[in-house]
CSV table of all heavy atoms in Angstrom, one decimal:
chain,number,residue,atom,x,y,z
A,1181,GLY,N,176.3,140.8,79.8
A,1181,GLY,CA,176.8,139.6,80.5
A,1181,GLY,C,175.7,138.6,80.7
A,1181,GLY,O,176.0,137.5,81.0
A,1182,GLU,N,174.4,138.9,80.4
A,1182,GLU,CA,173.4,137.9,80.5
A,1182,GLU,C,173.4,137.1,79.2
A,1182,GLU,O,173.6,137.6,78.1
A,1182,GLU,CB,172.0,138.6,80.7
A,1182,GLU,CG,171.9,139.3,82.1
A,1182,GLU,CD,170.5,139.9,82.3
A,1182,GLU,OE1,169.8,140.1,81.4
A,1182,GLU,OE2,170.3,140.2,83.5
A,1183,ARG,N,173.0,135.8,79.3
A,1183,ARG,CA,173.1,134.9,78.2
A,1183,ARG,C,171.9,134.8,77.3
A,1183,ARG,O,171.9,134.2,76.2
A,1183,ARG,CB,173.5,133.5,78.7
A,1183,ARG,CG,174.8,133.5,79.5
A,1183,ARG,CD,175.2,132.1,80.0
A,1183,ARG,NE,175.5,131.2,78.8
A,1183,ARG,CZ,175.9,130.0,79.0
A,1183,ARG,NH1,176.0,129.5,80.2
A,1183,ARG,NH2,176.2,129.3,77.9
A,1184,ASP,N,170.8,135.2,77.8
A,1184,ASP,CA,169.5,135.2,77.0
A,1184,ASP,C,168.6,136.4,77.3
A,1184,ASP,O,169.0,137.2,78.2
A,1184,ASP,CB,168.8,133.9,77.1
A,1184,ASP,CG,168.4,133.6,78.6
A,1184,ASP,OD1,168.4,134.6,79.4
A,1184,ASP,OD2,168.1,132.5,78.9
A,1185,GLY,N,167.6,136.5,76.5
A,1185,GLY,CA,166.7,137.6,76.7
A,1185,GLY,C,166.7,138.5,75.5
A,1185,GLY,O,167.7,138.5,74.7
A,1186,PRO,N,165.7,139.3,75.3
A,1186,PRO,CA,165.6,140.2,74.1
A,1186,PRO,C,166.5,141.5,74.3
A,1186,PRO,O,166.7,141.9,75.4
A,1186,PRO,CB,164.1,140.5,74.0
A,1186,PRO,CG,163.6,140.4,75.4
A,1186,PRO,CD,164.5,139.3,76.1
A,1187,GLU,N,166.9,142.0,73.1
A,1187,GLU,CA,167.6,143.2,73.2
A,1187,GLU,C,166.7,144.4,73.5
A,1187,GLU,O,167.1,145.4,74.1
A,1187,GLU,CB,168.4,143.5,71.9
A,1187,GLU,CG,169.4,142.4,71.6
A,1187,GLU,CD,169.9,142.5,70.1
A,1187,GLU,OE1,169.4,143.3,69.4
A,1187,GLU,OE2,170.8,141.6,69.7
A,1188,GLU,N,165.5,144.3,73.0
A,1188,GLU,CA,164.5,145.4,73.2
A,1188,GLU,C,163.2,144.8,73.8
A,1188,GLU,O,162.8,143.7,73.4
A,1188,GLU,CB,164.1,146.1,71.9
A,1188,GLU,CG,165.2,146.8,71.2
A,1188,GLU,CD,164.7,147.5,69.9
A,1188,GLU,OE1,163.5,147.6,69.7
A,1188,GLU,OE2,165.6,147.8,69.1
A,1189,VAL,N,162.6,145.5,74.7
A,1189,VAL,CA,161.3,145.1,75.2
A,1189,VAL,C,160.4,146.3,75.1
A,1189,VAL,O,160.7,147.4,75.6
A,1189,VAL,CB,161.3,144.6,76.7
A,1189,VAL,CG1,159.9,144.3,77.2
A,1189,VAL,CG2,162.3,143.5,76.9
A,1190,HIS,N,159.2,146.1,74.5
A,1190,HIS,CA,158.2,147.2,74.4
A,1190,HIS,C,156.9,146.8,75.1
A,1190,HIS,O,156.6,145.6,75.0
A,1190,HIS,CB,158.0,147.4,72.9
A,1190,HIS,CG,159.1,147.9,72.1
A,1190,HIS,ND1,159.4,149.2,71.8
A,1190,HIS,CD2,160.2,147.1,71.5
A,1190,HIS,CE1,160.5,149.3,71.1
A,1190,HIS,NE2,161.0,148.0,70.9
A,1191,LEU,N,156.2,147.7,75.6
A,1191,LEU,CA,154.9,147.5,76.1
A,1191,LEU,C,153.9,148.4,75.5
A,1191,LEU,O,154.1,149.6,75.5
A,1191,LEU,CB,154.8,147.7,77.7
A,1191,LEU,CG,153.4,147.6,78.3
A,1191,LEU,CD1,152.9,146.2,78.1
A,1191,LEU,CD2,153.4,148.1,79.7
A,1192,VAL,N,152.9,147.9,74.9
A,1192,VAL,CA,151.8,148.6,74.2
A,1192,VAL,C,150.6,148.6,75.1
A,1192,VAL,O,150.0,147.5,75.4
A,1192,VAL,CB,151.5,148.1,72.8
A,1192,VAL,CG1,150.4,149.0,72.2
A,1192,VAL,CG2,152.7,148.1,71.9
A,1193,LEU,N,150.2,149.7,75.7
A,1193,LEU,CA,149.1,149.8,76.6
A,1193,LEU,C,147.9,150.3,75.8
A,1193,LEU,O,147.9,151.5,75.2
A,1193,LEU,CB,149.4,150.8,77.7
A,1193,LEU,CG,150.3,150.3,78.8
A,1193,LEU,CD1,150.9,151.4,79.6
A,1193,LEU,CD2,149.6,149.3,79.7
A,1194,LEU,N,146.9,149.5,75.7
A,1194,LEU,CA,145.7,149.8,74.8
A,1194,LEU,C,144.5,150.2,75.6
A,1194,LEU,O,144.1,149.5,76.6
A,1194,LEU,CB,145.4,148.5,73.9
A,1194,LEU,CG,144.2,148.6,73.0
A,1194,LEU,CD1,144.4,149.7,71.9
A,1194,LEU,CD2,143.9,147.2,72.4
A,1195,ASP,N,143.8,151.2,75.1
A,1195,ASP,CA,142.6,151.6,75.8
A,1195,ASP,C,141.4,150.9,75.1
A,1195,ASP,O,140.7,150.1,75.7
A,1195,ASP,CB,142.4,153.2,75.6
A,1195,ASP,CG,141.2,153.7,76.4
A,1195,ASP,OD1,140.2,153.0,76.4
A,1195,ASP,OD2,141.3,154.8,77.0
A,1196,ASN,N,141.1,151.2,73.9
A,1196,ASN,CA,140.1,150.6,73.1
A,1196,ASN,C,138.7,150.5,73.8
A,1196,ASN,O,138.2,149.4,74.0
A,1196,ASN,CB,140.5,149.2,72.7
A,1196,ASN,CG,139.6,148.6,71.6
A,1196,ASN,OD1,139.0,149.3,70.8
A,1196,ASN,ND2,139.5,147.3,71.5
A,1197,GLY,N,138.2,151.6,74.3
A,1197,GLY,CA,136.9,151.6,75.0
A,1197,GLY,C,136.9,151.4,76.5
A,1197,GLY,O,135.9,151.5,77.2
A,1198,ARG,N,138.1,151.0,77.1
A,1198,ARG,CA,138.1,150.7,78.5
A,1198,ARG,C,137.9,152.0,79.3
A,1198,ARG,O,137.3,151.9,80.4
A,1198,ARG,CB,139.5,150.1,78.8
A,1198,ARG,CG,139.6,148.7,78.3
A,1198,ARG,CD,141.1,148.2,78.3
A,1198,ARG,NE,141.2,146.8,78.0
A,1198,ARG,CZ,141.2,146.3,76.8
A,1198,ARG,NH1,141.2,147.2,75.7
A,1198,ARG,NH2,141.4,145.0,76.5
A,1199,SER,N,138.3,153.2,78.8
A,1199,SER,CA,138.1,154.4,79.5
A,1199,SER,C,136.6,154.7,79.7
A,1199,SER,O,136.2,155.3,80.7
A,1199,SER,CB,138.8,155.6,78.8
A,1199,SER,OG,140.2,155.5,78.9
Side-chain angles (χ1 to χ4, degrees):
E1182 293 182 345
R1183 303 183 64 180
D1184 56 19
E1187 297 170 358
E1188 293 180 18
V1189 179
H1190 300 261
L1191 174 66
V1192 180
L1193 287 162
L1194 176 64
D1195 186 321
N1196 194 27
R1198 290 166 173 81
S1199 293

